[in-house]
Amino acid sequence: MTNTMNSYVNEQNGIFPAVCPLDCPDQCGLLLHKVNGTVIKVEGDPNHPVTKGHICNKVRNMPARINDQNRLKYPMKRIGAKGSGKFEQISWTEALDTISNKWKTLIAEHGPETILPYSFYGNMGNLTSEGMGHAFFNALGASRLDRTICNSAGAKGYKYTMGASRGIDPEDTIHSKLFIFWGINAVSTNMHQILLAQKARKQGAKIIVIDVHKNQTGRLADWFIPIQPGTDSALALGMMHILFKENMVDYAFLEKFTVGHDELKKHVTQYDPKTVSEITGVPEDDLYKLSRLYGEISPSYIRIGNGLQHHDNGGMAVRTIACLPALTGQWLVKGGGAIKSNSGYLSYNSVVTQRPDLLENPNTRTINMNLLGQALLDLEPKIHSMYVYNSNPAIVAPNCNKVRAGLAREDLFLVVHDLFMTETAFFADIILPATSSFENMDFYASYWHHYIQIQKPVIEPHFEAKSNVEVFQLLAKEMGFTDPIFKESEETLIRKALDYQENPYIEHINFESLIEQNYQKCQSYTFDPGNLPTPSGKIELYSGAMAQAGLPPLPTYLPLKDDGDFPFKFIPAPNHNFINSTFANNEFHVELEKNPVAYINHVDALDRGIHDGDTVRIWNNRGACELKVKVGEDVLPSVIVTQGLWTHRGTQKHLVNALTPDRVADMGGGATFFSGRVNIEKI
Ligand SMILES: Nc1nc2c(c(=O)[nH]1)N[C@H]1C(S)=C(S)[C@@H](COP(=O)(O)OP(=O)(O)OC[C@H]3O[C@@H](n4cnc5c(=O)[nH]c(N)nc54)[C@H](O)[C@@H]3O)O[C@H]1N2
Ligand SMILES: Nc1nc2c(c(=O)[nH]1)N[C@H]1C(S)=C(S)[C@@H](COP(=O)(O)OP(=O)(O)OC[C@H]3O[C@@H](n4cnc5c(=O)[nH]c(N)nc54)[C@H](O)[C@@H]3O)O[C@H]1N2
Ligand code: SF4
Ligand SMILES: [Mo]
């Protein structure tokens, strides 16, 4: 479907530009080294203005994944019992016929809402992740999926305060003098922000890390502040208390650009250092020191992570931290301010790619993806079919045993489209092979830096693999959908998507210019805190919209929900060498990461006769997993941290999401992966 001019596929040898397709804020520019039609080496593109040739180890070793002999080559159908892993090769014709016939029958019997799409950002390409699939399921009238698993609580909290997912330009952080990495393991998850911080450090900048785990990022900090999980809003409120009390706030800024600073000033008197210290575990002296550094150093920059918002109170935590730069007037200082997500700068015309108008019934139900287990097991009217792409819910979804019980339902017709035989695919009725991002055309927009990039196809599809766009177009044909979008090329769709008057920042970016330049920055902008898309146009320290939604209108600390009588807070975070479950099934990356580990404080270990290197069982009401233990000072007492979503087919031993809660967070229907409680014992 791609025009040869816009593709490198016919050139067997050479070095070709590419974009990293993974769900990572850095969205690196890459160079693919192709020999005899195969990508044998991936390196960073030294000309990329932000990523400058540096890439992570995961993607440096990407050839091991795209050339992996275990990649799916053909469509397959299930021939054994559900979950037995017995499949046989079929043709694309048989696969598409089976799916469309089954769906036609189900729709006739139960209506289209009995079908549920399930997807996330296994590939960040805009057409691949949220283009043709959305258009297809809209036309089908399927149940809608609320894609809440990642950042929705924090995004909502930030939006209440700042109006949109917009922070500062990360390239400006080279000027920052104080970095606070707050609930983000940036060494593993945003490495170019660390490179910028290291450069600024050479000009005297200080790096503070606030986290529940002294991981790689904590270890490189000038000052690491350990905090009790789920208490970040209390810490930020304690900082506000001191900033007001010691007159370190910028009243001129507050007056001109914010709503509610008088109320906030009164409100934070209750968050005195003693109270805050008791809640957060941060000593009073440290709270003073942190507040004074933040009050005195300029420019100061807060990188707000995703980890701290995977909690019952995650929306409020981000909302509260997002108020801090307003107190000090930092939004007007180059290199000062904050970033949670910058996706708001690069918005494109998603209506033409997602086609919400194709959905006939405006009351079509919406299912929160964090509640997948409940939805598959309990929801009425029943879900009789699910189509999974760009995601691996059997591993990544919260309360995963429930999800697996749902996937194992004999009467659930499950289709999985992926590059690999994932744990989810194991339960499938039909498996479809997917291309890698280097095999098709798409456009990408970072949610951290300010560049849009294009990927032209570099290699031929792997055996019979097809892209998401192509599969949905083929399915549309089978289902008899006649809208022209189901015949449009990627090129046409990209042209339409970039034609978007509503976002003046990308006015100068179009298909031709991207084809020529590979990446383009959005228009430079002046951050105007007096003209924000909040109801008042200002930064909302007091939010009437929150009051209307039944939330405290002022930043407020609310403790985590009760999660049973278990002594430990459980934080199953990501690791360095995988991205979510991606790479967890590639031997090479598993070798790099070695073993799944649980970090525990030596005080707790001593109490339980647990020694470094022991295998432990960690459990709660929802499930159990087995891991090796690392005893030390990396976590506070009463906290257990693990890293990585390990996939061990058959054993399920390391399935940390067996333990995670499927409650939804305070805002945005967000996930609460890190608000669970557990117990631990030596095996
Ligand atoms: N190497 C690697 N990179 C990735 C990913 C990956 O899996 N591996 N995943 C990608 C995706 S999808 C995302 S969303 C991002 C996520 O990347 P980040 O934004 O870094 O978020 P997490 O890694 O989930 O958590 C960050 C940190 O929050 C800490 N934390 C947990 N609870 C709390 C708390 O209550 N308070 C505080 N202060 N800290 C807390 C954890 O210990 C962890 O160190 O990374 C992306 N990049
Ligand atoms: N315990 C715990 N659980 C978590 C998290 C955590 O920190 N702790 N993090 C959560 C977060 S932030 C996120 S974002 C989610 C992420 O969860 P997922 O979005 O499920 O991410 P992955 O596990 O990387 O799975 C992506 C899948 O998409 C496939 N894929 C890649 N490209 C394509 C393509 O072009 N087409 C098709 N059809 N498939 C493709 C990959 O092979 C892979 O199997 O996990 C969440 N789960
Ligand atoms: S995963 Fe992130 S750091 Fe690694 S190459 Fe991709 S965008 Fe860059
Ligand atoms: Mo995520």
Side-chain angles (χ1 to χ4, degrees), residues 72-79 85-95 421 429-431 433 463-464:
L72 294 172
K73 300 184 178 77
Y74 316 102
M76 292 191 285
K77 72 173 177 197
R78 173 165 71 89
I79 50 168
K86 293 205 177 90
F87 296 94
E88 116 189 334
Q89 184 182 339
I90 54 174
S91 67
W92 270 100
T93 311
E94 183 180 344
M421 175 66 103
D429 294 283
I430 300 284
I431 300 176
F463 293 81
E464 290 185 17

Side-chain angles (χ1 to χ4, degrees), residues 97-279:
D97 278 352
T98 309
I99 299 168
S100 56
N101 288 334
K102 182 78 187 175
W103 281 355
K104 283 175 189 164
T105 310
L106 286 176
I107 290 170
E109 285 171 12
H110 308 281
E113 283 180 314
T114 202
I115 301 164
L116 176 69
Y118 185 98
S119 73
F120 210 64
Y121 290 87
N123 172 322
M124 287 287 293
N126 289 314
L127 304 177
T128 309
S129 60
E130 49 181 43
M132 200 55 72
H134 288 41
F136 175 80
F137 287 109
N138 281 333
L140 195 69
S143 287
R144 288 180 278 192
L145 185 74
D146 201 5
R147 292 175 170 81
T148 49
I149 205 166
C150 177
N151 67 342
S152 59
K156 186 80 190 177
Y158 190 87
K159 201 169 170 194
Y160 276 130
T161 314
M162 298 295 296
S165 290
R166 291 184 201 156
I168 64 169
D169 182 345
E171 291 176 81
D172 285 345
T173 63
I174 188 83
H175 305 294
S176 308
K177 290 283 181 248
L178 179 69
F179 288 80
I180 301 182
F181 287 95
W182 202 324
I184 182 167
N185 181 9
V187 168
S188 299
T189 65
N190 188 192
M191 65 173 271
H192 296 87
Q193 184 64 77
I194 291 288
L195 294 178
L196 285 161
Q198 298 278 40
K199 268 195 190 153
R201 194 185 224 173
K202 293 205 177 105
Q203 324 294 330
K206 291 271 168 283
I207 300 176
I208 295 175
V209 171
I210 304 172
D211 203 297
V212 303
H213 180 207
K214 190 166 187 179
N215 51 34
Q216 301 92 307
T217 309
R219 287 199 291 276
L220 77 62
D222 295 301
W223 186 22
F224 172 71
I225 305 177
I227 184 168
Q228 281 293 339
T231 66
D232 300 274
S233 45
L235 183 64
L237 286 157
M239 289 171 72
M240 293 180 198
H241 176 99
I242 295 170
L243 290 170
F244 275 114
K245 201 165 164 193
E246 301 196 349
N247 213 10
M248 290 186 287
V249 298
D250 182 342
Y251 282 105
F253 183 95
L254 287 173
E255 204 49 53
K256 193 160 173 209
F257 298 117
T258 71
V259 173
H261 68 87
D262 283 334
E263 291 94 324
L264 182 65
K265 187 177 176 177
K266 281 184 212 109
H267 172 76
V268 298
T269 53
Q270 62 188 301
Y271 297 100
D272 60 88
K274 184 162 175 285
T275 306
V276 167
S277 175
E278 276 160 12
I279 297 170

Side-chain angles (χ1 to χ4, degrees), residues 23-25 58 120 150-151 181-190 210-213 215 217 225 227-232 303-311 313 447 571-581 641 643-645 674:
D23 188 352
C24 168
K58 305 181 282 293
F120 210 64
C150 177
N151 67 342
F181 287 95
W182 202 324
I184 182 167
N185 181 9
V187 168
S188 299
T189 65
N190 188 192
I210 304 172
D211 203 297
V212 303
H213 180 207
N215 51 34
T217 309
I225 305 177
I227 184 168
Q228 281 293 339
T231 66
D232 300 274
R303 179 68 175 102
I304 308 173
N306 236 35
L308 70 91
Q309 56 96 62
H310 275 158
H311 281 292
N313 57 12
Y447 53 94
I571 317 292
N575 66 6
H576 192 70
N577 291 298
F578 309 162
I579 282 233
N580 306 311
S581 76
V641 172
Q643 287 191 318
L645 299 176
F674 301 159

Side-chain angles (χ1 to χ4, degrees), residues 19-30 42 51 54-60 62 187-192 449 579 583:
V19 192
C20 177
L22 299 174
D23 188 352
C24 168
D26 300 51
Q27 203 153 92
C28 291
L30 306 177
V42 175
T51 61
H54 303 283
I55 58 170
C56 67
N57 215 22
K58 305 181 282 293
V59 171
R60 192 172 300 288
M62 190 66 121
V187 168
S188 299
T189 65
N190 188 192
M191 65 173 271
H192 296 87
H449 64 59
I579 282 233
F583 298 120

